[in-house]
Amino acid sequence: TNYYQVVGIDLLGREYRSPVRYIQLVDSIPPAAPQRLSCSINDDGLVSLKWAANVEDDLFGCLVFKANRVNEEFAQITTGPISSNTVSDNANLQTLSREIHYRVIAVDQSQNQSAFSEILTLKLPDKVKPAAPVFYPFSATKEGVTLHWTQSSSEDVVSYEVFRKSVTGSNWEYLATVK
């Protein structure tokens, strides 16, 4: 926005001023998309997200979005444009999702929005216990007991530990580890 005035000067050097006019230029140019997103997460799920600050003079702030999957719609996590280039978020760690994804949009004073930033993918700490295996019917012979089970549906299981306890016993006895 600017104020304008035209000054006419005659041959004798006298100035003749026009009335001052306020003119607001149309701003249709959006800011650049935020760049160089980075983040960290602690064991409690507190995410610290930051990006390089935009340099536009008319920058109003940034909007931050997240999603559990890259191909789903991203939800806005900020209530409006924020003026800083950092934000904190709480990630749900009691989920089967292994990662969360963030994107940022810059907004200028005329409410022009930039394109989305590149997607930043954050690997979540594994805090969910694996699903328990399920026993099939067992078979018992004079030589011993044969156990069969369905493997856990959790992808990160690396082994199974087998324990037994007698009917009268109070403690579990470790038998074997099965990879």
Side-chain angles (χ1 to χ4, degrees), residues 35-171:
Q35 301 289 318
R36 299 193 311 273
L37 274 70
S38 64
C39 66
S40 61
I41 186 169
N42 69 15
D43 285 340
D44 295 325
L46 181 63
V47 176
S48 297
L49 178 67
K50 63 182 178 177
W51 55 93
N54 280 47
V55 295
E56 291 85 1
D57 291 334
D58 65 339
L59 186 70
F60 183 55
C62 291
L63 302 171
V64 181
F65 300 80
K66 81 172 176 181
N68 288 327
R69 290 183 166 64
V70 171
N71 57 354
E72 73 181 24
E73 186 170 349
F74 280 69
Q76 184 176 323
I77 63 170
T78 50
T79 57
I82 57 171
S83 58
S84 69
N85 62 328
T86 62
V87 72
S88 294
D89 185 35
N90 286 310
N92 179 7
L93 300 182
Q94 298 301 316
T95 178
L96 296 178
S97 296
R98 296 184 159 248
E99 46 193 32
I100 53 176
H101 312 278
Y102 290 94
R103 297 181 105 176
V104 180
I105 288 178
V107 180
D108 68 14
Q109 298 287 341
S110 297
Q111 298 303 303
N112 295 313
Q113 293 185 353
S114 72
F116 275 107
S117 67
E118 294 292 322
I119 296 173
L120 175 69
T121 299
L122 176 63
K123 184 173 175 35
L124 295 174
D126 186 2
K127 296 289 185 174
V128 178
K129 294 179 182 178
V134 177
F135 273 112
Y136 283 147
F138 63 90
S139 59
T141 63
K142 290 181 184 180
E143 288 79 35
V145 176
T146 302
L147 302 174
H148 300 278
W149 61 85
T150 302
Q151 293 184 357
S152 169
S153 60
S154 301
E155 296 174 1
D156 58 347
V157 172
V158 293
S159 65
Y160 300 91
E161 292 183 349
V162 182
F163 294 83
R164 75 173 169 194
K165 180 172 77 164
S166 69
V167 174
T168 59
S170 60
N171 295 325

